[in-house]
Amino acid sequence: MTASHSDSLVVLFGATAGAYGAKLGSDERELILLVWQVVDLQNKKVGTLHKSLVKADNLDLSDQCREVSGLTPEGLGKAEPLDRVLQQFSQLVSSDLKVLGRSSYTLCSDGQLLIRQVLHPETSKKNFLLSDCFYSFYDLRKEFHTCYPSSAAVKDQTIKTMAEYLGLGTDEAEEDFGVWQVKTMVAIIFSMLSEDHIFTEPETVKHKYETGPCSKSETVDSETVIRARGLPWQSSDQDIARFFKGLNIAKGGVALCLNSQGRRNGEALVRFVNSEQRDLALERHKHHMGSRYIEVYKATGEEFLKIAGGTSNEVAQFLSKENQVIIRMRGLPFTATQEDVLGFLGPECPVTGGKEGLLFVKYPDGRPTGDAFVLFSCEEYAQNALKKHKEILGKRYIELFRSTAAEVQQVLNRYMSTPLIPTLPTPIIPVIPPPYTIATGSVRDCVRLRGLPYTAGIDDILEFMGDATGDIKPHGVHMVLNQQGRPSGDAFIQMKSADKAFMVAQKCHKKMMKDRYVEVFQCSGEEMNFVLMGGTLNRSGLSPPPCKLPCLSPPAAYAAFQTAAVIPAEAAALYQPQALLPSTRTPQASAAAPPTVTYYPAQAAQLYMNYTAYYPSPPVSPTTVGYIAAPPGAVAAAATATHTPILPQPGALVRMQGLPYNTGMKEILSFFQGYQYAPDDYNGLIQLSDQARSVLQAPKEWVCL
């Protein structure tokens, strides 16, 4: 009849200022009531029943709390705060045990919510420690189901249903709130003792989160994983474990997620020891970490392994030292050695194991990335290291952050899987531009729309023009973007005749589109081209675009608008400006020149379609954007298919990103020293303007090295 861990129980009941019953603690409300009584398991005796009100920081009680408990803010205002109440709890329990002649005890509560979802999270937020007795307890519902297997499932049990199952004649209305619950729980325990039930396996709450590695070969149950979103970017695994205080996280079960640049994205995957703990974690959806609320959703074991799983023996050995604080160093000089890092950290923050506590992150070919991870044996040493954030090593400042075992795995996996030479994606079928052109004459057969809402798309423009859409030329709608690649509020429309353009300008001028009126002016194709090429059109007249300046481009710069590339029957036309990607610097413009073949990678097509909307009849076009040059094989295939002789393009085009703004041709040639570049006047060098750079900005995996 004796418990293996103690010879008595302390039956504990509590309530918060918010939800009651199955939702206790889910609304993050504070504890306002504790009721308890000591039970001598050997002699079946009880101590004094104690009831204590708790003064919460927020005394605004929910309607359910007022109705069920009968408590008022006035009564709670005279109570003691939680830390004082818990001190009184320990003193009174010790006194009762002494009277009963007992020396040890274990808590017993109705379910797990009071201990795991109320007491531990609240004391953690209020920064005071619970005594050891709150890290071990019996769940009366589980014990009852073990003693009476034919009773209802554990999740469906309540104090009332357990009492009814045993036929206990207790009347809830006769006692104060909390007193009836404790008395009934004591009666249930005595009934279980009469059936020779033994309390042997208490529930446990982990004192601290344990770090550790995770292998990709490990099996992770999807019913034990959650995804937490909205985390502060500087959150560590210990901060996340503190958010889930009271719930048992598996060893190494916190995996902070990184974005494609290797920086934290405010999400984490957390693995718990079982599905029951995971379900309790889901109840903390939109609970607060500091001033931010955290979203909690279900996740899968595959997602967790993708983030936290590793295969490197070097990483496994590095992380084998348990209970270490991990610090990530970023921005190290590529020539930095272990001695340099140890010297930078200094004697006030000794690294665990010296050089063995350092892990440098490298590319597959052994080149350093500038990242490293460091192990410290205690929080004090880690704090000393973090004080060196942005101090100088060599000629570079070093960033230091708290890190996790899962982040070590992610960073290593990311760099080790990076290809040395990224390849261009599989091409879409090369296409030959159709014979239509953009007008360049002085005939005023175009209209300019000014003051468009920035959210306006092609469909909005067509709806705005009404019946006049039937008079738009094929591929005649042109959206004008600013230097950041965003809508500028302007658009040009090519009409079938000057009369049609005049009628549209008269009919639609200052007509409303969404919440703004739009100005509509008649203009010529030449004026439209000036703006599309980067010039300005205002009341003072025309300002030529940069590409018309003789020092930047040949006189035939506008020839780019005489051809266009399209994805047939599937997407809008894509005009390529010669000012961005010229094929030659010779001023001769030949009308008999072969048509340009344009190569569209899969991602490129998706990127360009983001700049426009597809409207099949009549066709429309986006603003002018560049294209990626086709490989020689694609050019040859297109030439064979159309029986048109096309000269092959020798060599390959390489785009350079991140150049210093004062870079000149000499620096570029020096950078490529040892490689053969296009000869003859260095026509292989194309320096892009800011506008071109923003339009051609693409994911890193497009860049050919």
Side-chain angles (χ1 to χ4, degrees), residues 24-25 112-119 121 247 280 283-284:
L24 182 70
Q112 304 197 33
L113 300 182
L114 176 62
I115 305 295
R116 295 191 185 275
Q117 299 285 66
V118 178
L119 278 169
L247 306 180
L280 292 175
E283 293 296 326
R284 300 198 186 182

Side-chain angles (χ1 to χ4, degrees), residues 440-676:
T440 58
S442 59
V443 178
R444 299 174 63 80
D445 57 352
C446 302
V447 291
R448 179 190 183 189
L449 278 60
R450 188 169 67 184
L452 294 169
Y454 294 130
T455 58
I458 300 257
D459 291 336
D460 298 311
I461 293 176
L462 297 177
E463 181 181 356
F464 172 81
M465 295 184 64
D467 297 337
T469 55
D471 299 322
I472 300 176
K473 284 185 178 181
H475 301 273
V477 180
H478 307 275
M479 305 291 289
V480 181
L481 304 185
N482 61 20
Q483 291 186 354
Q484 287 73 42
R486 300 187 180 96
S488 64
D490 281 22
F492 286 92
I493 315 293
Q494 289 179 268
M495 308 302 293
K496 292 182 178 178
S497 66
D499 293 339
K500 299 294 184 183
F502 175 79
M503 294 298 295
V504 170
Q506 292 293 318
K507 179 180 178 181
C508 298
H509 183 57
K510 293 195 175 182
K511 180 179 174 181
M512 298 298 294
M513 179 185 294
K514 297 184 178 179
D515 297 330
R516 300 185 62 173
Y517 73 85
V518 178
E519 298 176 294
V520 183
F521 305 102
Q522 187 179 7
C523 65
S524 67
E526 182 179 9
E527 293 170 334
M528 178 186 71
N529 280 336
F530 264 80
V531 176
L532 292 181
M533 290 294 290
T536 58
L537 175 62
N538 49 43
R539 295 178 181 177
S540 302
L542 296 174
S543 297
C547 58
K548 280 295 285 183
L549 299 178
C551 61
L552 294 180
S553 65
Y558 291 133
F561 286 101
Q562 296 177 2
T563 61
V566 297
I567 302 176
E570 294 181 2
L574 298 172
Y575 294 100
Q576 50 97 0
Q578 188 174 0
L580 299 184
L581 293 175
S583 58
T584 179
R585 292 181 60 89
T586 56
Q588 292 81 7
S590 173
T596 303
V597 176
T598 304
Y599 167 69
Y600 294 98
Q603 293 112 317
Q606 179 63 40
L607 174 71
Y608 296 150
M609 289 305 294
N610 288 339
Y611 285 95
T612 185
Y614 175 54
Y615 182 73
S617 179
V620 296
S621 62
T623 184
T624 54
V625 294
Y627 64 92
I628 298 177
V635 178
T640 304
T642 57
H643 304 288
T644 304
I646 300 178
L647 294 175
Q649 299 178 355
L653 181 66
V654 179
R655 179 160 62 92
M656 301 177 68
Q657 288 181 292
L659 290 172
Y661 293 113
N662 58 353
T663 301
M665 185 179 297
K666 182 183 296 184
E667 287 79 10
I668 296 177
L669 294 177
S670 176
F671 179 81
F672 286 108
Q673 184 176 3
Y675 294 88
Q676 184 178 359

Side-chain angles (χ1 to χ4, degrees), residues 134-203:
F134 290 97
Y135 288 87
S136 177
F137 67 97
Y138 287 106
D139 182 345
L140 183 59
R141 300 185 187 189
K142 289 185 178 181
E143 297 293 331
F144 185 84
H145 187 73
T146 302
C147 184
Y148 303 102
S150 60
S151 61
V154 174
K155 64 179 181 179
D156 299 325
Q157 297 278 18
T158 63
I159 296 176
K160 189 172 184 179
T161 59
M162 289 187 288
E164 291 175 348
Y165 182 87
L166 297 175
L168 299 177
T170 58
D171 188 357
E172 185 175 358
E174 293 181 357
E175 303 284 356
D176 291 340
F177 178 71
V179 174
W180 174 85
Q181 283 83 350
V182 170
K183 286 185 175 181
T184 305
M185 291 168 67
V186 171
I188 293 171
I189 291 172
F190 283 153
S191 296
M192 294 168 60
L193 292 175
S194 66
E195 297 289 336
D196 295 331
H197 180 74
I198 302 176
F199 292 84
T200 57
E201 297 181 4
E203 299 285 323

